[in-house]
Amino acid sequence: MSGDDDVPLILTWDDGNSGLLGEDDPDQADGNGVGNYDNINNVSIPGPSDSRAQSSLRHSWEMNYQEAAIYLQEGENNDKFYTHPRSALALSAYLFVHNHLFYLMELLTGVLLMILSLAEAPAVPSLRLDVYVHATLELFALVMVAFELCMKLRWLGFHTFIRHKRTMVKTCVLFIQFTEAIVVLVRQTSHLRVTRALRPIFLVDCRYCGAVRRNLRQIFQSLPSFIDILLLLLFFMIIFAILGFCLFSTNPADPYFNTLENSIVSLFVLLTTANFPDVMMPAYARNRCSCVFFIVYLSIELYFIMNLLLAVVFDTFNGVEKVKFKSLLLHKRSAMRHAFQLLVSRQRPDGVSLKQFDGLLRFYRPRMSARDRFLTFKALNQSGTTMLSLEDFYKIYEVMGLKWRARRSGEYWFDDLPHTAFLIFKGINLVVKSKAFQYVMYIVVAVNGVWILVETNMLNSGFSWSRFVPWSYIVFLTIYGVEVLLKITGLGPVAYFSSGWNLFDFSVTVFAFLGLIALAFDMEPFYFIVVLRPLQLLRLFKIKQRYRNVLDTMFELFPRMASLGLTLIIFYYSFAIVGMEFFADVIYPNCCNTSTVADSYRQVNVTIGNRTVLEEGYYYLNNFNNILNSFVTLFELTVVNNWYITMEGVTSQTSHWSRLYFMTFYIVTMVVMTIIVAFILDAFVFRMNYSRKNRESLDDPEDEKGIVMEAEVLQDEALQTLDLYRHTLAGTNLSSLQEMCVTMERNRHSSLVFLGRRSRTKSDLSMKMYQEEIQEWYKEYSRTNLPLPEGLHRDLDAPVPHRDTPVPHTCPSQTIN
Amino acid sequence: MSGDDDVPLILTWDDGNSGLLGEDDPDQADGNGVGNYDNINNVSIPGPSDSRAQSSLRHSWEMNYQEAAIYLQEGENNDKFYTHPRSALALSAYLFVHNHLFYLMELLTGVLLMILSLAEAPAVPSLRLDVYVHATLELFALVMVAFELCMKLRWLGFHTFIRHKRTMVKTCVLFIQFTEAIVVLVRQTSHLRVTRALRPIFLVDCRYCGAVRRNLRQIFQSLPSFIDILLLLLFFMIIFAILGFCLFSTNPADPYFNTLENSIVSLFVLLTTANFPDVMMPAYARNRCSCVFFIVYLSIELYFIMNLLLAVVFDTFNGVEKVKFKSLLLHKRSAMRHAFQLLVSRQRPDGVSLKQFDGLLRFYRPRMSARDRFLTFKALNQSGTTMLSLEDFYKIYEVMGLKWRARRSGEYWFDDLPHTAFLIFKGINLVVKSKAFQYVMYIVVAVNGVWILVETNMLNSGFSWSRFVPWSYIVFLTIYGVEVLLKITGLGPVAYFSSGWNLFDFSVTVFAFLGLIALAFDMEPFYFIVVLRPLQLLRLFKIKQRYRNVLDTMFELFPRMASLGLTLIIFYYSFAIVGMEFFADVIYPNCCNTSTVADSYRQVNVTIGNRTVLEEGYYYLNNFNNILNSFVTLFELTVVNNWYITMEGVTSQTSHWSRLYFMTFYIVTMVVMTIIVAFILDAFVFRMNYSRKNRESLDDPEDEKGIVMEAEVLQDEALQTLDLYRHTLAGTNLSSLQEMCVTMERNRHSSLVFLGRRSRTKSDLSMKMYQEEIQEWYKEYSRTNLPLPEGLHRDLDAPVPHRDTPVPHTCPSQTIN
């Protein structure tokens, strides 16, 4: 039975063209409660000669494959099911919106809108554009956004669209920006455009910035408890401000507490320690006991309540991480369940055959070769039958990312070479893999490190580029070069480059070589490469297990860290725009002579005793004159030290209310930074717990390489599959499958084992960590949902997406997302 | 059977005087493997007329009670069993050493030695003493320490003494200090006495500083992983220092990177952010791209590796806390098992009778009244039989701290008053307990807060004490006074003062009142009390559950925080001594004109443009001229901001090597501070998990009051007990028991219920948190130990402390301590 005549259990996006699937026969429902799907019974045994029915049936299957693929995609991206396309029209919009070209367009539009502020007044000098140029660019980008929104409206339908909060906010912001851009174009000059601070919304909303959206959500989730503790902090601040005012305002030499406002500002800054011990000094000089006030204040506020803030955020974080993992997992599970239902046929409702599975993958992973689709099926099919059960199918996300390769019969890449060459390479391989070689290299690196240190230390007269090609540089570079060559030849290029550490070695060595060339040919702009040499020393950290763990975790965390960094940059951007609108060009040398921080802005000849020196306070450089300067200034504010100098400088040139901007920024960065700390803490504690729990498996070198799966393919099977594919998919590219068959033929193997590999993700770790709890969740999940496969028919009572069943698709897992 | 003739199962510290218990009859061992205890069989049925045997028996029992009490004490204090006294001589030394008078002496000696540094050169001016006075005082204190050590030697025995590491270190330090004190006395002048930095050892070793010792141990446990990450930190620092030197040393205006040493120091300081953004400014002014170097450095070092440090310490901390709790719990359990064995008699080996239990408590808690001893027995005796089983006995630590009071028959304290008074008080009670009253008070407090803020804000001319008795002060104080009076009368003084919040209200109100009196009578030194008024505002935080939780946790944490503070002070002390020895009097106004931080030390008339002002850099106040100044300076170094100014100032007056002192101090405080942060994090996360796990029980008002236990006493029982006590303990104070009987008689109650209360400790919380795991631990524990009570006889095979069995007492739980 080839399954050619199987009829899908559920039909989707039925556009009414297929006469066979008309709903003109409701009386034929056989009373088992399956409802309007029963008419499928009528068409389940079409004659093979009935080519119209055949093609219509194929069309239905294709539609089902597509919808199943969409479900899997939704599960993967954590898209809610209520945005699932419900009609053929919505489907075409959905397909238009969900592809990388469109995503890229979204991203570019968002980035373009943001980088426009480089060119808008106050612009970076070298990038300044005329008003009509940048306003036109902006209008163009906004039109693109409007187009994207229209496509989304078409896909989601009007009702879902206006219920989707993020999209509505985006629409409003778009409207405002549009109006403003036109006003700018008409007036030919920029007005006070604070609303530009909202531009990051366009970037955040785009598909590729999902991680940023998650971070923002996490920040908002932590906010309520954060604000509670913040109030406690501010409350103590105000109590101490009153006390401080009462105690120290009688001292005329104390400018920090002379009014209540100054008192509050001083203690706010003291919270960040930025004005300590200066703020204490006048009072301390007068009465030594006054240090008690400051010590108590700092102990309560800085060392207790600030840590409390971290504890609260960490706790929220900790709880949320698990809940999020759970909801994601269950969302994926129900996505897989939906997809499974769409792939089974009326004849065999509890299994997915290779043909259907292949159909799914053609939509879900269009770039996957026929061979890999077949291997994925084999990997899932643990039971060895011809069908995938629901339990098998539940593993689909785990096998999806695997890269398949035939297991090499030999151990080394040079197995097929002639004997002499083999022996040479074998020797190199042994050398390269030996402990001794490794330790020799460590010693070389260490010696190199000491050498660099000593050499640099001897350059007391200052570093000069031109005479800096010492022989040691060449010697060590040669050693590293030889090492890289040996390793590549010994291990084979593929094995060599599959290790992150080797890649690191390689790139550092290549950079050093490029630096040497730059020096030799006097290419000045590339000199900086030379200074990267000391990075070689990082290799020393491979020696100890703990460092390997730390660095591995660092690499694992990198994507998440990057998204947190991006989130921070988005906050920066908004604050930078506001700062530029209000504080551009208020700071210049000698600007703030009336303020308490005048020294830091002074650029003047000063006479001390009988000497005259040029004293330069560089702080006028920390300004908001253009967006790049603003970013640097904001970074300095983030680091917190001496931030009050910038604040007081700007305040002295504008009004007292400017402090609000700086204080708000401090609190916002405090939130984000606390989240970052909590995130790092959580990730590392998780990782350490994990490695404690799975000590043996982490030490296992096989496990370090990531997730590995096996699939054995028999020759008969392969030929059969090739046949099947030729039959069903005439015209598509089957070369990968053919090649596999040819390989088996040539090597006279009756079977071939394939290995699928992928790197381990956080989700894999979590799966292992919460193993027992996951079983609980699944049990709970299947208790609230109807059991499958026995319950499949009963499950059909629940409305499913179908043009003809307009009842919204009430998926039980919807609420947990 | 009154149990008068019971013979102890085990005999302890048998001093051979008791002829009955001689070991002259080894042949009579009945072969069941109990060994030399079997001779007890021979004396188990002495004739009641044999008064010599009777008294000897009583003596043996008394000895057993004492040893059992010592075991319980050891369990409570986590003293290892190998220090258990093994002979009558050791016992007397043990008893001498283990009492509060001796502990106090230890403490005072330690404190005396430490505060001597106030008077030794360089002394606090007002406390300076002659050399021979402070040297004599020091010698005296050291002789005291020597005496304590002698007593300890006598108790522990020579072998245990020299194996006890802490004691040996103490002895060595004592020896050094002694020699030095004599040298000082002979030369009549202090030499370079850096060893004084070791003085805190005497304080740390004393009994009352157990918490500090635990903290130090925890710090040392976290050190290895801490140092690993620290190396990573320093490694990146050096790599960046080399890069920085190469990049920026060509800039003559940049003093931060002109040599490799300066480069390293600048980046070390930058690690603490103290010189940011100044360190960046010269490079930034020259080339805007150079900010990338600093941003990357800070991102890696400050935001990543520093957090990693916290993560590692937090993780270690987290793990250690649980292990410590487990080992403490099992240690207590084996202490209780040992005590139990000493209290059972040969006749009834599986239960402890009231008489024996009472005997134990007479030694274990000498101050406890007879009534409370009896009630404790009743509380333990859950089964209702006349004996305590081992299972009952295992709860002894939980009931030990209970404060017993008879349950009041009525609800209110004024129940016994005449009817009119009752009605009045009842009315007040209802008012005081009503929500409305509470909220009115909150509103009053809030209004008061706003009032104070507004009033203070209007004093722009500066605060002056004399004219500061505004009418609002009197009005609000009256309201608070009335509230306190109403509450005390309505709730009764006992109920009122048992709540921490009420105590807080009361003391703030009393202070405000005292402040008013001080103002009225013009007593200037007490004016500061007036400024404590805003503390009333703290009451507002009672409104929200989260704040109550936070503040309760704060109070729960307080003892632990205090011990951490003390630990920090001990580190401060050592560093202060070293600082004073090397840097005393090197800092003075205008001292550091050659350094880069000259401005901060300058006290000079400066001409800027055409104005002349006195510019005062107060940093010369941050010196090491005496121990108090040193402490303040070290606190400023702990807060980190601008610490490099102090460092550079001292360095410019001494040598480059001084930086080592400051950098070491920074790293040490970083360790301690990280531990403090980890501790607060851990405690709060624990508390939050706890309250999540027991949400209902925390909201339960009964539970908030702490641990409550009930014991019902019948009249017959009470009389019987009184009789028993009169019989056995002639001459001791039985008034509490008699009073109880009289009360029952007078009120004609046939029974009386007593409530025992104590506040909840961390250990109670942990018990509840780890409930399930504790059962596991117990199971494991009883698997490795022999089961009781069936196994009691078998257990006797194991050597027990006994003069005649000199085999060291190998308690199985010893290894886990």
Side-chain angles (χ1 to χ4, degrees), chain A residues 574-585:
Chain A
S574 298
F575 273 95
I577 294 281
V578 175
M580 276 155 57
E581 291 293 352
F582 290 113
F583 311 132
D585 298 318

Side-chain angles (χ1 to χ4, degrees), chain B residues 112 167 178 308 354 363 441 479 489 552 559 592 630 654 759 792:
Chain B
L112 174 64
T167 312
F178 211 86
L308 198 58
L354 174 58
F363 284 98
M441 284 316 299
I479 298 178
T489 48
D552 286 349
C592 315
S630 303
T654 55
S759 52
L792 190 58

Side-chain angles (χ1 to χ4, degrees), chain B residues 134-262:
Chain B
H134 72 67
T136 313
L137 271 173
E138 189 180 357
L139 267 185
F140 167 73
L142 291 174
V143 168
M144 294 287 280
V145 174
F147 168 69
E148 288 157 22
L149 277 175
C150 287
M151 287 315 294
K152 215 168 177 182
L153 174 64
R154 207 165 150 197
W155 152 44
L156 288 174
F158 186 68
H159 272 285
T160 321
F161 186 82
I162 60 166
R163 273 192 306 153
H164 198 245
K165 231 182 286 166
R166 203 171 69 224
T167 312
M168 280 320 291
V169 172
K170 192 175 167 182
T171 313
C172 294
V173 172
L174 176 67
F175 190 73
I176 296 168
Q177 301 279 310
F178 211 86
T179 321
E180 285 204 303
I182 288 172
V183 168
V184 168
L185 210 51
V186 169
R187 294 181 60 219
Q188 286 289 316
T189 171
S190 265
H191 50 279
L192 186 75
R193 287 188 63 191
V194 182
T195 52
R196 286 191 296 157
L198 297 173
R199 277 184 188 164
I201 287 174
F202 300 121
L203 186 68
V204 166
D205 189 57
C206 85
R207 166 70 57 170
Y208 289 140
C209 293
V212 175
R213 283 201 300 277
R214 268 197 298 283
N215 289 333
L216 288 174
R217 207 172 302 132
Q218 204 141 27
I219 289 173
F220 287 120
Q221 275 165 346
S222 311
L223 267 191
S225 42
F226 195 92
I227 287 174
D228 281 349
I229 308 291
L230 196 67
L231 285 180
L232 198 66
L233 195 79
L234 295 179
F235 174 78
F236 273 104
M237 198 180 87
I238 288 184
I239 285 191
F240 272 88
I242 296 173
L243 288 184
F245 174 72
C246 293
L247 292 171
F248 307 128
S249 63
T250 46
N251 182 356
D254 193 338
Y256 298 101
F257 293 94
N258 53 4
T259 67
L260 188 62
E261 188 199 336
N262 277 353

Side-chain angles (χ1 to χ4, degrees), chain A residues 769-780:
Chain A
M769 271 297 278
Y770 303 135
Q771 237 161 10
E772 291 123 43
E773 275 140 310
I774 286 173
Q775 295 313 315
E776 286 294 309
W777 298 340
Y778 283 163
K779 262 182 224 156
E780 189 190 315

Side-chain angles (χ1 to χ4, degrees), chain B residues 499-515:
Chain B
S499 150
W501 280 107
N502 286 340
L503 263 179
F504 174 77
D505 286 1
F506 181 77
S507 44
V508 171
T509 310
V510 166
F511 271 126
F513 195 69
L514 290 178

Side-chain angles (χ1 to χ4, degrees), chain B residues 133 139 541 587 704:
Chain B
V133 177
L139 267 185
F541 285 94
I587 297 290
E704 262 177 37

